[in-house]
Short mmCIF file of all heavy atoms in Angstrom, two decimals:
data_model
loop_
_atom_site.label_atom_id
_atom_site.label_comp_id
_atom_site.label_asym_id
_atom_site.label_seq_id
_atom_site.Cartn_x
_atom_site.Cartn_y
_atom_site.Cartn_z
N MET A 1 -14.84 6.41 -5.48
CA MET A 1 -13.67 6.19 -4.61
C MET A 1 -12.39 6.52 -5.37
O MET A 1 -12.27 6.30 -6.54
CB MET A 1 -13.65 4.74 -4.16
CG MET A 1 -12.51 4.49 -3.25
SD MET A 1 -12.68 3.32 -1.92
CE MET A 1 -14.14 2.39 -2.19
N ARG A 2 -11.45 7.09 -4.65
CA ARG A 2 -10.19 7.44 -5.30
C ARG A 2 -9.06 7.31 -4.28
O ARG A 2 -9.29 7.14 -3.09
CB ARG A 2 -10.26 8.86 -5.84
CG ARG A 2 -10.50 9.86 -4.74
CD ARG A 2 -10.57 11.28 -5.26
NE ARG A 2 -11.00 12.12 -4.14
CZ ARG A 2 -12.12 12.80 -4.11
NH1 ARG A 2 -12.92 12.78 -5.14
NH2 ARG A 2 -12.44 13.50 -3.06
N THR A 3 -7.87 7.43 -4.80
CA THR A 3 -6.69 7.37 -3.93
C THR A 3 -5.99 8.71 -3.98
O THR A 3 -5.76 9.25 -5.05
CB THR A 3 -5.75 6.25 -4.40
OG1 THR A 3 -6.46 5.02 -4.35
CG2 THR A 3 -4.52 6.16 -3.53
N ILE A 4 -5.69 9.24 -2.82
CA ILE A 4 -5.00 10.52 -2.72
C ILE A 4 -3.65 10.27 -2.07
O ILE A 4 -3.58 9.63 -1.02
CB ILE A 4 -5.82 11.52 -1.87
CG1 ILE A 4 -7.15 11.80 -2.56
CG2 ILE A 4 -5.03 12.80 -1.61
CD1 ILE A 4 -8.12 12.59 -1.70
N GLU A 5 -2.61 10.76 -2.69
CA GLU A 5 -1.27 10.64 -2.10
C GLU A 5 -0.85 11.98 -1.53
O GLU A 5 -0.97 13.01 -2.18
CB GLU A 5 -0.26 10.20 -3.16
CG GLU A 5 -0.49 8.76 -3.56
CD GLU A 5 0.81 8.04 -3.90
OE1 GLU A 5 1.88 8.48 -3.44
OE2 GLU A 5 0.73 7.05 -4.60
N LEU A 6 -0.35 11.92 -0.31
CA LEU A 6 0.08 13.14 0.37
C LEU A 6 1.52 12.99 0.84
O LEU A 6 1.91 11.92 1.29
CB LEU A 6 -0.81 13.40 1.60
CG LEU A 6 -2.31 13.55 1.33
CD1 LEU A 6 -3.07 13.49 2.64
CD2 LEU A 6 -2.60 14.85 0.62
N ASN A 7 2.26 14.06 0.74
CA ASN A 7 3.57 14.10 1.37
C ASN A 7 3.38 14.71 2.74
O ASN A 7 2.75 15.76 2.88
CB ASN A 7 4.54 14.95 0.54
CG ASN A 7 4.96 14.24 -0.71
OD1 ASN A 7 5.29 13.06 -0.67
ND2 ASN A 7 4.93 14.93 -1.82
N VAL A 8 3.91 14.03 3.75
CA VAL A 8 3.69 14.47 5.12
C VAL A 8 5.04 14.73 5.77
O VAL A 8 5.94 13.88 5.73
CB VAL A 8 2.92 13.39 5.91
CG1 VAL A 8 2.67 13.85 7.34
CG2 VAL A 8 1.60 13.08 5.22
N GLN A 9 5.17 15.91 6.37
CA GLN A 9 6.43 16.28 7.04
C GLN A 9 6.38 15.93 8.51
O GLN A 9 5.32 15.90 9.12
CB GLN A 9 6.67 17.79 6.90
CG GLN A 9 6.98 18.22 5.48
CD GLN A 9 6.82 19.71 5.33
OE1 GLN A 9 7.17 20.47 6.24
NE2 GLN A 9 6.28 20.14 4.20
N GLY A 10 7.55 15.68 9.08
CA GLY A 10 7.65 15.48 10.51
C GLY A 10 7.27 14.09 10.97
O GLY A 10 7.10 13.83 12.15
N MET A 11 7.15 13.18 10.01
CA MET A 11 6.72 11.81 10.32
C MET A 11 7.96 10.93 10.26
O MET A 11 8.49 10.69 9.18
CB MET A 11 5.70 11.43 9.24
CG MET A 11 5.25 10.03 9.25
SD MET A 11 3.97 9.80 7.99
CE MET A 11 4.95 9.61 6.51
N SER A 12 8.46 10.50 11.41
CA SER A 12 9.72 9.77 11.31
C SER A 12 9.85 8.57 12.24
O SER A 12 10.92 8.00 12.35
CB SER A 12 10.90 10.72 11.49
OG SER A 12 10.66 11.55 12.59
N CYS A 13 8.79 8.14 12.89
CA CYS A 13 8.90 6.91 13.66
C CYS A 13 7.53 6.25 13.75
O CYS A 13 6.53 6.80 13.30
CB CYS A 13 9.46 7.18 15.06
SG CYS A 13 8.30 7.98 16.17
N GLY A 14 7.48 5.07 14.34
CA GLY A 14 6.24 4.32 14.41
C GLY A 14 5.15 5.04 15.18
O GLY A 14 3.97 4.89 14.90
N SER A 15 5.55 5.86 16.14
CA SER A 15 4.58 6.60 16.91
C SER A 15 3.90 7.66 16.05
O SER A 15 2.70 7.90 16.16
CB SER A 15 5.27 7.24 18.12
OG SER A 15 4.35 7.94 18.90
N CYS A 16 4.67 8.28 15.16
CA CYS A 16 4.10 9.24 14.20
C CYS A 16 3.06 8.52 13.34
O CYS A 16 1.99 9.07 13.06
CB CYS A 16 5.18 9.81 13.29
SG CYS A 16 6.34 10.92 14.10
N VAL A 17 3.40 7.33 12.89
CA VAL A 17 2.49 6.58 12.03
C VAL A 17 1.18 6.32 12.76
O VAL A 17 0.09 6.47 12.20
CB VAL A 17 3.14 5.24 11.60
CG1 VAL A 17 2.15 4.38 10.83
CG2 VAL A 17 4.38 5.51 10.75
N LYS A 18 1.27 6.00 14.06
CA LYS A 18 0.06 5.76 14.85
C LYS A 18 -0.78 7.03 14.97
O LYS A 18 -2.00 6.98 14.86
CB LYS A 18 0.44 5.27 16.26
CG LYS A 18 0.67 3.79 16.31
CD LYS A 18 0.86 3.33 17.75
CE LYS A 18 1.88 2.21 17.81
NZ LYS A 18 2.58 2.15 19.08
N HIS A 19 -0.13 8.15 15.21
CA HIS A 19 -0.84 9.43 15.30
C HIS A 19 -1.60 9.70 14.00
O HIS A 19 -2.76 10.13 14.02
CB HIS A 19 0.14 10.58 15.52
CG HIS A 19 0.61 10.74 16.93
ND1 HIS A 19 -0.05 11.51 17.84
CD2 HIS A 19 1.67 10.22 17.57
CE1 HIS A 19 0.60 11.46 19.00
NE2 HIS A 19 1.64 10.68 18.86
N ILE A 20 -0.92 9.48 12.90
CA ILE A 20 -1.51 9.79 11.60
C ILE A 20 -2.67 8.84 11.31
O ILE A 20 -3.74 9.26 10.85
CB ILE A 20 -0.42 9.73 10.52
CG1 ILE A 20 0.41 11.01 10.64
CG2 ILE A 20 -1.02 9.60 9.12
CD1 ILE A 20 1.72 10.98 9.93
N ASN A 21 -2.47 7.57 11.59
CA ASN A 21 -3.55 6.61 11.38
C ASN A 21 -4.77 6.96 12.23
O ASN A 21 -5.90 6.91 11.76
CB ASN A 21 -3.08 5.19 11.70
CG ASN A 21 -2.43 4.53 10.50
OD1 ASN A 21 -2.97 4.56 9.40
ND2 ASN A 21 -1.28 3.94 10.71
N ALA A 22 -4.52 7.36 13.49
CA ALA A 22 -5.63 7.69 14.38
C ALA A 22 -6.36 8.94 13.89
O ALA A 22 -7.59 8.99 13.90
CB ALA A 22 -5.10 7.91 15.80
N ALA A 23 -5.59 9.95 13.44
CA ALA A 23 -6.21 11.19 12.97
C ALA A 23 -7.08 10.93 11.76
O ALA A 23 -8.20 11.44 11.65
CB ALA A 23 -5.13 12.22 12.64
N LEU A 24 -6.58 10.10 10.85
CA LEU A 24 -7.35 9.84 9.63
C LEU A 24 -8.48 8.85 9.88
O LEU A 24 -9.54 8.94 9.26
CB LEU A 24 -6.42 9.34 8.52
CG LEU A 24 -5.40 10.39 8.05
CD1 LEU A 24 -4.45 9.80 7.03
CD2 LEU A 24 -6.10 11.61 7.45
N ALA A 25 -8.28 7.94 10.82
CA ALA A 25 -9.34 6.99 11.15
C ALA A 25 -10.55 7.72 11.71
O ALA A 25 -11.70 7.31 11.52
CB ALA A 25 -8.84 5.95 12.15
N ALA A 26 -10.29 8.84 12.40
CA ALA A 26 -11.39 9.63 12.97
C ALA A 26 -12.28 10.20 11.87
O ALA A 26 -13.42 10.56 12.11
CB ALA A 26 -10.83 10.75 13.84
N LEU A 27 -11.74 10.30 10.67
CA LEU A 27 -12.51 10.83 9.54
C LEU A 27 -13.31 9.74 8.82
O LEU A 27 -14.16 10.04 7.98
CB LEU A 27 -11.57 11.43 8.49
CG LEU A 27 -10.87 12.74 8.80
CD1 LEU A 27 -9.97 13.09 7.63
CD2 LEU A 27 -11.88 13.84 9.02
N ALA A 28 -13.02 8.50 9.14
CA ALA A 28 -13.52 7.39 8.33
C ALA A 28 -15.02 7.45 8.11
O ALA A 28 -15.49 7.44 6.97
CB ALA A 28 -13.11 6.06 8.96
N ALA A 29 -15.78 7.51 9.21
CA ALA A 29 -17.23 7.50 9.08
C ALA A 29 -17.74 8.84 8.57
O ALA A 29 -18.68 8.92 7.79
CB ALA A 29 -17.85 7.17 10.42
N LEU A 30 -17.08 9.90 9.02
CA LEU A 30 -17.51 11.26 8.75
C LEU A 30 -17.36 11.64 7.27
O LEU A 30 -18.27 12.16 6.64
CB LEU A 30 -16.64 12.18 9.60
CG LEU A 30 -17.12 13.56 9.95
CD1 LEU A 30 -18.29 13.46 10.91
CD2 LEU A 30 -15.99 14.33 10.62
N ALA A 31 -16.18 11.41 6.75
CA ALA A 31 -15.85 11.96 5.43
C ALA A 31 -15.61 10.90 4.37
O ALA A 31 -15.46 11.23 3.20
CB ALA A 31 -14.63 12.87 5.55
N GLY A 32 -15.53 9.64 4.77
CA GLY A 32 -15.33 8.60 3.78
C GLY A 32 -13.87 8.28 3.54
O GLY A 32 -13.32 8.54 2.47
N VAL A 33 -13.23 7.74 4.56
CA VAL A 33 -11.86 7.25 4.40
C VAL A 33 -11.93 5.73 4.54
O VAL A 33 -12.33 5.22 5.58
CB VAL A 33 -10.93 7.84 5.47
CG1 VAL A 33 -9.56 7.17 5.42
CG2 VAL A 33 -10.78 9.35 5.27
N ASP A 34 -11.59 5.02 3.48
CA ASP A 34 -11.70 3.56 3.50
C ASP A 34 -10.40 2.88 3.90
O ASP A 34 -10.42 1.84 4.54
CB ASP A 34 -12.13 3.05 2.13
CG ASP A 34 -13.57 3.45 1.84
OD1 ASP A 34 -14.42 3.25 2.72
OD2 ASP A 34 -13.83 3.98 0.76
N ALA A 35 -9.29 3.45 3.50
CA ALA A 35 -8.02 2.82 3.82
C ALA A 35 -6.93 3.88 3.92
O ALA A 35 -6.95 4.87 3.19
CB ALA A 35 -7.65 1.80 2.75
N VAL A 36 -6.02 3.68 4.85
CA VAL A 36 -4.89 4.58 5.03
C VAL A 36 -3.63 3.73 5.00
O VAL A 36 -3.53 2.73 5.70
CB VAL A 36 -4.97 5.33 6.38
CG1 VAL A 36 -3.74 6.21 6.57
CG2 VAL A 36 -6.24 6.17 6.45
N GLU A 37 -2.71 4.14 4.17
CA GLU A 37 -1.45 3.41 4.06
C GLU A 37 -0.34 4.44 4.29
O GLU A 37 -0.26 5.44 3.59
CB GLU A 37 -1.36 2.88 2.63
CG GLU A 37 -0.54 1.66 2.42
CD GLU A 37 -0.57 1.30 0.94
OE1 GLU A 37 -1.69 1.06 0.42
OE2 GLU A 37 0.49 1.29 0.32
N VAL A 38 0.48 4.20 5.30
CA VAL A 38 1.55 5.15 5.61
C VAL A 38 2.88 4.56 5.17
O VAL A 38 3.25 3.47 5.59
CB VAL A 38 1.58 5.47 7.12
CG1 VAL A 38 2.69 6.46 7.43
CG2 VAL A 38 0.24 6.04 7.59
N ASP A 39 3.56 5.29 4.31
CA ASP A 39 4.89 4.88 3.87
C ASP A 39 5.88 5.77 4.61
O ASP A 39 6.17 6.89 4.21
CB ASP A 39 5.01 5.07 2.36
CG ASP A 39 6.33 4.55 1.82
OD1 ASP A 39 7.28 4.38 2.62
OD2 ASP A 39 6.43 4.29 0.61
N LEU A 40 6.36 5.25 5.73
CA LEU A 40 7.22 6.05 6.61
C LEU A 40 8.52 6.47 5.93
O LEU A 40 8.87 7.64 5.94
CB LEU A 40 7.47 5.27 7.90
CG LEU A 40 8.28 5.95 8.99
CD1 LEU A 40 7.62 7.23 9.44
CD2 LEU A 40 8.45 5.02 10.17
N PRO A 41 9.27 5.55 5.31
CA PRO A 41 10.54 5.96 4.69
C PRO A 41 10.35 7.02 3.62
O PRO A 41 11.21 7.87 3.43
CB PRO A 41 11.08 4.66 4.08
CG PRO A 41 10.39 3.57 4.81
CD PRO A 41 9.05 4.11 5.24
N ALA A 42 9.24 6.97 2.90
CA ALA A 42 9.02 7.93 1.81
C ALA A 42 8.37 9.22 2.31
O ALA A 42 8.24 10.17 1.56
CB ALA A 42 8.16 7.30 0.73
N GLY A 43 7.90 9.23 3.57
CA GLY A 43 7.20 10.40 4.08
C GLY A 43 5.90 10.63 3.35
O GLY A 43 5.51 11.76 3.05
N ARG A 44 5.21 9.55 3.07
CA ARG A 44 4.04 9.63 2.21
C ARG A 44 2.86 8.88 2.82
O ARG A 44 3.05 7.84 3.46
CB ARG A 44 4.41 8.98 0.88
CG ARG A 44 3.58 9.40 -0.28
CD ARG A 44 4.25 8.88 -1.53
NE ARG A 44 5.01 9.93 -2.16
CZ ARG A 44 4.76 10.36 -3.40
NH1 ARG A 44 3.83 9.81 -4.12
NH2 ARG A 44 5.45 11.32 -3.91
N VAL A 45 1.69 9.41 2.62
CA VAL A 45 0.47 8.76 3.11
C VAL A 45 -0.48 8.61 1.93
O VAL A 45 -0.70 9.55 1.17
CB VAL A 45 -0.20 9.60 4.23
CG1 VAL A 45 -1.52 8.96 4.65
CG2 VAL A 45 0.73 9.71 5.43
N ARG A 46 -1.01 7.40 1.78
CA ARG A 46 -1.95 7.14 0.69
C ARG A 46 -3.31 6.87 1.31
O ARG A 46 -3.44 5.98 2.15
CB ARG A 46 -1.47 5.93 -0.11
CG ARG A 46 -2.23 5.69 -1.38
CD ARG A 46 -1.58 4.57 -2.19
NE ARG A 46 -0.23 4.92 -2.63
CZ ARG A 46 0.86 4.25 -2.28
NH1 ARG A 46 0.81 3.19 -1.52
NH2 ARG A 46 2.04 4.64 -2.70
N VAL A 47 -4.29 7.64 0.91
CA VAL A 47 -5.63 7.50 1.48
C VAL A 47 -6.60 7.11 0.37
O VAL A 47 -6.66 7.76 -0.67
CB VAL A 47 -6.09 8.83 2.12
CG1 VAL A 47 -7.50 8.68 2.69
CG2 VAL A 47 -5.11 9.27 3.20
N THR A 48 -7.33 6.03 0.62
CA THR A 48 -8.35 5.60 -0.33
C THR A 48 -9.72 5.92 0.26
O THR A 48 -9.97 5.63 1.43
CB THR A 48 -8.23 4.08 -0.59
OG1 THR A 48 -6.90 3.81 -1.01
CG2 THR A 48 -9.19 3.64 -1.68
N GLY A 49 -10.59 6.52 -0.54
CA GLY A 49 -11.92 6.85 -0.06
C GLY A 49 -12.50 8.02 -0.82
O GLY A 49 -12.05 8.32 -1.92
N ASN A 50 -13.48 8.67 -0.21
CA ASN A 50 -14.15 9.78 -0.88
C ASN A 50 -13.82 11.13 -0.27
O ASN A 50 -14.35 12.15 -0.70
CB ASN A 50 -15.67 9.56 -0.84
CG ASN A 50 -16.06 8.36 -1.69
OD1 ASN A 50 -15.62 8.21 -2.82
ND2 ASN A 50 -16.87 7.48 -1.12
N ALA A 51 -12.96 11.14 0.75
CA ALA A 51 -12.65 12.40 1.42
C ALA A 51 -11.88 13.33 0.48
O ALA A 51 -11.11 12.88 -0.38
CB ALA A 51 -11.81 12.12 2.67
N GLU A 52 -12.12 14.64 0.66
CA GLU A 52 -11.41 15.64 -0.13
C GLU A 52 -9.97 15.74 0.34
O GLU A 52 -9.70 15.69 1.55
CB GLU A 52 -12.08 17.01 0.05
CG GLU A 52 -13.49 17.10 -0.52
CD GLU A 52 -13.51 16.90 -2.03
OE1 GLU A 52 -12.52 17.31 -2.69
OE2 GLU A 52 -14.49 16.36 -2.53
N ALA A 53 -9.06 15.95 -0.60
CA ALA A 53 -7.65 16.10 -0.25
C ALA A 53 -7.45 17.25 0.74
O ALA A 53 -6.67 17.14 1.68
CB ALA A 53 -6.81 16.33 -1.51
N ALA A 54 -8.20 18.35 0.54
CA ALA A 54 -8.05 19.52 1.43
C ALA A 54 -8.39 19.16 2.87
O ALA A 54 -7.75 19.64 3.81
CB ALA A 54 -8.92 20.67 0.94
N LEU A 55 -9.40 18.30 3.05
CA LEU A 55 -9.79 17.89 4.40
C LEU A 55 -8.72 17.01 5.03
O LEU A 55 -8.39 17.14 6.21
CB LEU A 55 -11.13 17.14 4.34
CG LEU A 55 -11.63 16.59 5.68
CD1 LEU A 55 -11.93 17.73 6.64
CD2 LEU A 55 -12.86 15.74 5.48
N LEU A 56 -8.15 16.12 4.23
CA LEU A 56 -7.09 15.24 4.74
C LEU A 56 -5.89 16.08 5.16
O LEU A 56 -5.28 15.84 6.21
CB LEU A 56 -6.67 14.24 3.66
CG LEU A 56 -7.79 13.33 3.14
CD1 LEU A 56 -7.27 12.49 1.98
CD2 LEU A 56 -8.32 12.44 4.25
N ILE A 57 -5.56 17.06 4.33
CA ILE A 57 -4.41 17.92 4.62
C ILE A 57 -4.66 18.72 5.90
O ILE A 57 -3.79 18.82 6.77
CB ILE A 57 -4.12 18.84 3.41
CG1 ILE A 57 -3.55 17.99 2.26
CG2 ILE A 57 -3.16 19.96 3.79
CD1 ILE A 57 -3.46 18.71 0.93
N ALA A 58 -5.88 19.25 6.04
CA ALA A 58 -6.22 20.03 7.23
C ALA A 58 -6.16 19.14 8.48
O ALA A 58 -5.69 19.58 9.54
CB ALA A 58 -7.61 20.64 7.09
N THR A 59 -6.61 17.91 8.34
CA THR A 59 -6.61 16.98 9.47
C THR A 59 -5.18 16.64 9.90
O THR A 59 -4.87 16.62 11.09
CB THR A 59 -7.35 15.69 9.10
OG1 THR A 59 -8.70 16.04 8.78
CG2 THR A 59 -7.34 14.69 10.24
N LEU A 60 -4.32 16.42 8.93
CA LEU A 60 -2.93 16.10 9.25
C LEU A 60 -2.23 17.33 9.84
O LEU A 60 -1.45 17.20 10.79
CB LEU A 60 -2.19 15.60 8.01
CG LEU A 60 -2.65 14.21 7.54
CD1 LEU A 60 -2.03 13.86 6.21
CD2 LEU A 60 -2.30 13.15 8.57
N ASP A 61 -2.53 18.50 9.30
CA ASP A 61 -1.97 19.74 9.87
C ASP A 61 -2.37 19.87 11.33
O ASP A 61 -1.54 20.19 12.19
CB ASP A 61 -2.46 20.96 9.09
CG ASP A 61 -1.64 21.21 7.81
OD1 ASP A 61 -0.59 20.56 7.64
OD2 ASP A 61 -2.06 22.05 7.01
N ASP A 62 -3.66 19.62 11.61
CA ASP A 62 -4.16 19.71 12.98
C ASP A 62 -3.43 18.73 13.89
O ASP A 62 -3.22 18.99 15.07
CB ASP A 62 -5.66 19.39 13.03
CG ASP A 62 -6.51 20.60 12.68
OD1 ASP A 62 -5.94 21.69 12.50
OD2 ASP A 62 -7.73 20.44 12.57
N ALA A 63 -3.10 17.56 13.36
CA ALA A 63 -2.44 16.53 14.15
C ALA A 63 -0.95 16.86 14.35
O ALA A 63 -0.26 16.18 15.09
CB ALA A 63 -2.60 15.18 13.48
N GLY A 64 -0.46 17.91 13.67
CA GLY A 64 0.92 18.33 13.85
C GLY A 64 1.85 17.91 12.73
O GLY A 64 3.07 18.01 12.86
N TYR A 65 1.26 17.43 11.63
CA TYR A 65 2.06 16.98 10.50
C TYR A 65 1.69 17.75 9.25
O TYR A 65 0.66 17.46 8.64
CB TYR A 65 1.86 15.47 10.27
CG TYR A 65 2.25 14.66 11.48
CD1 TYR A 65 1.33 14.35 12.46
CD2 TYR A 65 3.57 14.28 11.67
CE1 TYR A 65 1.69 13.64 13.59
CE2 TYR A 65 3.95 13.57 12.79
CZ TYR A 65 3.01 13.26 13.75
OH TYR A 65 3.38 12.58 14.87
N PRO A 66 2.50 18.74 8.88
CA PRO A 66 2.20 19.51 7.67
C PRO A 66 2.19 18.58 6.45
O PRO A 66 3.13 17.80 6.24
CB PRO A 66 3.36 20.51 7.57
CG PRO A 66 3.94 20.56 8.94
CD PRO A 66 3.71 19.20 9.54
N ALA A 67 1.12 18.66 5.69
CA ALA A 67 0.96 17.76 4.55
C ALA A 67 0.67 18.55 3.29
O ALA A 67 0.18 19.67 3.35
CB ALA A 67 -0.18 16.79 4.82
N GLN A 68 0.99 17.96 2.18
CA GLN A 68 0.63 18.56 0.90
C GLN A 68 0.39 17.45 -0.11
O GLN A 68 0.90 16.34 0.07
CB GLN A 68 1.74 19.50 0.41
CG GLN A 68 3.07 18.82 0.26
CD GLN A 68 4.23 19.81 0.24
OE1 GLN A 68 5.35 19.48 0.56
NE2 GLN A 68 3.94 21.03 -0.17
N ALA A 69 -0.37 17.77 -1.13
CA ALA A 69 -0.63 16.78 -2.16
C ALA A 69 0.70 16.37 -2.78
O ALA A 69 1.57 17.20 -3.01
CB ALA A 69 -1.56 17.37 -3.22
N ALA A 70 0.85 15.08 -3.01
CA ALA A 70 2.12 14.56 -3.49
C ALA A 70 2.35 14.95 -4.94
O ALA A 70 1.45 14.95 -5.76
CB ALA A 70 2.14 13.05 -3.35
N SER A 71 3.58 15.30 -5.23
CA SER A 71 3.99 15.50 -6.61
C SER A 71 5.38 14.89 -6.71
O SER A 71 6.07 14.76 -5.72
CB SER A 71 4.04 16.99 -6.94
OG SER A 71 5.10 17.60 -6.24
N PRO A 72 5.80 14.50 -7.90
CA PRO A 72 7.10 13.84 -8.03
C PRO A 72 8.25 14.68 -7.48
O PRO A 72 9.13 14.15 -6.83
CB PRO A 72 7.24 13.64 -9.54
CG PRO A 72 5.84 13.61 -10.04
CD PRO A 72 5.06 14.53 -9.14
N ALA A 73 8.22 15.99 -7.70
CA ALA A 73 9.31 16.84 -7.23
C ALA A 73 9.35 16.86 -5.70
O ALA A 73 10.42 16.77 -5.10
CB ALA A 73 9.12 18.25 -7.75
N ALA A 74 8.17 16.96 -5.08
CA ALA A 74 8.11 17.00 -3.63
C ALA A 74 8.58 15.67 -3.04
O ALA A 74 9.24 15.64 -2.01
CB ALA A 74 6.69 17.31 -3.17
N ALA A 75 8.25 14.58 -3.71
CA ALA A 75 8.64 13.26 -3.22
C ALA A 75 10.16 13.14 -3.20
O ALA A 75 10.74 12.59 -2.27
CB ALA A 75 8.03 12.17 -4.08
N ALA A 76 10.81 13.68 -4.23
CA ALA A 76 12.27 13.61 -4.31
C ALA A 76 12.90 14.43 -3.20
O ALA A 76 13.97 14.10 -2.70
CB ALA A 76 12.74 14.09 -5.68
N ALA A 77 12.23 15.52 -2.80
CA ALA A 77 12.79 16.41 -1.79
C ALA A 77 12.57 15.90 -0.37
O ALA A 77 13.24 16.32 0.55
CB ALA A 77 12.17 17.80 -1.93
N ALA A 78 11.60 14.99 -0.21
CA ALA A 78 11.27 14.51 1.14
C ALA A 78 12.33 13.56 1.64
O ALA A 78 12.56 12.50 1.08
CB ALA A 78 9.90 13.83 1.11
N LYS A 79 13.01 13.97 2.71
CA LYS A 79 14.05 13.11 3.29
C LYS A 79 13.74 12.92 4.77
O LYS A 79 14.05 13.77 5.57
CB LYS A 79 15.41 13.77 3.14
CG LYS A 79 15.97 13.70 1.74
CD LYS A 79 17.44 14.12 1.75
CE LYS A 79 17.88 14.59 0.37
NZ LYS A 79 18.21 16.01 0.33
N PRO A 80 13.13 11.81 5.12
CA PRO A 80 12.82 11.61 6.52
C PRO A 80 14.09 11.49 7.35
O PRO A 80 15.02 10.77 6.97
CB PRO A 80 12.04 10.29 6.55
CG PRO A 80 11.98 9.80 5.16
CD PRO A 80 12.76 10.71 4.26
N ALA A 81 14.13 12.20 8.46
CA ALA A 81 15.27 12.10 9.36
C ALA A 81 14.97 11.05 10.41
O ALA A 81 13.86 10.51 10.45
CB ALA A 81 15.50 13.44 10.03
N GLY A 82 15.91 10.73 11.24
CA GLY A 82 15.65 9.80 12.33
C GLY A 82 14.72 10.46 13.33
O GLY A 82 14.50 11.65 13.27
N CYS A 83 14.21 9.66 14.25
CA CYS A 83 13.33 10.22 15.27
C CYS A 83 14.18 11.12 16.16
O CYS A 83 15.18 10.70 16.71
CB CYS A 83 12.70 9.10 16.08
SG CYS A 83 11.23 9.61 16.96
N GLY A 84 13.81 12.37 16.26
CA GLY A 84 14.60 13.32 17.02
C GLY A 84 14.02 14.69 16.88
O GLY A 84 12.81 14.85 16.93
N SER A 85 14.84 15.69 16.65
CA SER A 85 14.36 17.06 16.64
C SER A 85 13.38 17.30 15.50
O SER A 85 12.53 18.18 15.58
CB SER A 85 15.53 18.04 16.52
OG SER A 85 16.27 17.76 15.37
N SER A 86 13.47 16.52 14.42
CA SER A 86 12.59 16.75 13.29
C SER A 86 11.30 15.95 13.42
O SER A 86 10.45 15.99 12.55
CB SER A 86 13.29 16.37 11.99
OG SER A 86 13.50 14.98 11.97
N CYS A 87 11.19 15.22 14.51
CA CYS A 87 10.05 14.34 14.68
C CYS A 87 8.92 15.08 15.40
O CYS A 87 9.16 15.72 16.42
CB CYS A 87 10.50 13.15 15.52
SG CYS A 87 9.36 11.81 15.54
N ASN A 88 7.69 15.00 14.87
CA ASN A 88 6.60 15.78 15.44
C ASN A 88 5.78 15.06 16.50
O ASN A 88 4.81 15.58 16.97
CB ASN A 88 5.66 16.23 14.32
CG ASN A 88 6.31 17.26 13.43
OD1 ASN A 88 7.50 17.50 13.53
ND2 ASN A 88 5.54 17.85 12.56
N CYS A 89 6.17 13.84 16.88
CA CYS A 89 5.34 13.11 17.83
C CYS A 89 5.79 13.33 19.27
O CYS A 89 5.23 12.77 20.20
CB CYS A 89 5.29 11.63 17.49
SG CYS A 89 6.81 10.74 17.83
N HIS A 90 6.83 14.12 19.47
CA HIS A 90 7.31 14.31 20.83
C HIS A 90 6.97 15.70 21.35
O HIS A 90 6.77 16.59 20.57
CB HIS A 90 8.83 14.11 20.87
CG HIS A 90 9.21 12.75 20.38
ND1 HIS A 90 8.88 11.59 21.03
CD2 HIS A 90 9.83 12.36 19.24
CE1 HIS A 90 9.33 10.56 20.34
NE2 HIS A 90 9.89 11.00 19.26
CU1 CU B 101 7.73 10.10 15.73
#
């Protein structure tokens, strides 16, 4: 088991968080996702389990949220906007 941190774009309100949780929950039995923690202000998702990072990223992309493996530089650049034109849940 491991923890994978992802930076997720376009996630800016509680509805986005629900979409992301639902998308990743669908992988739980299939690929081994034990826990999903969404940090909305940071634009970050932490996934604990055995799923491959590439699969998590593909799943989030499919759900409409471009994701990438977290790195310190990317985290500094991530600035969540208010729910609006930059929000992917509408
Ligand atoms: Cu939203």
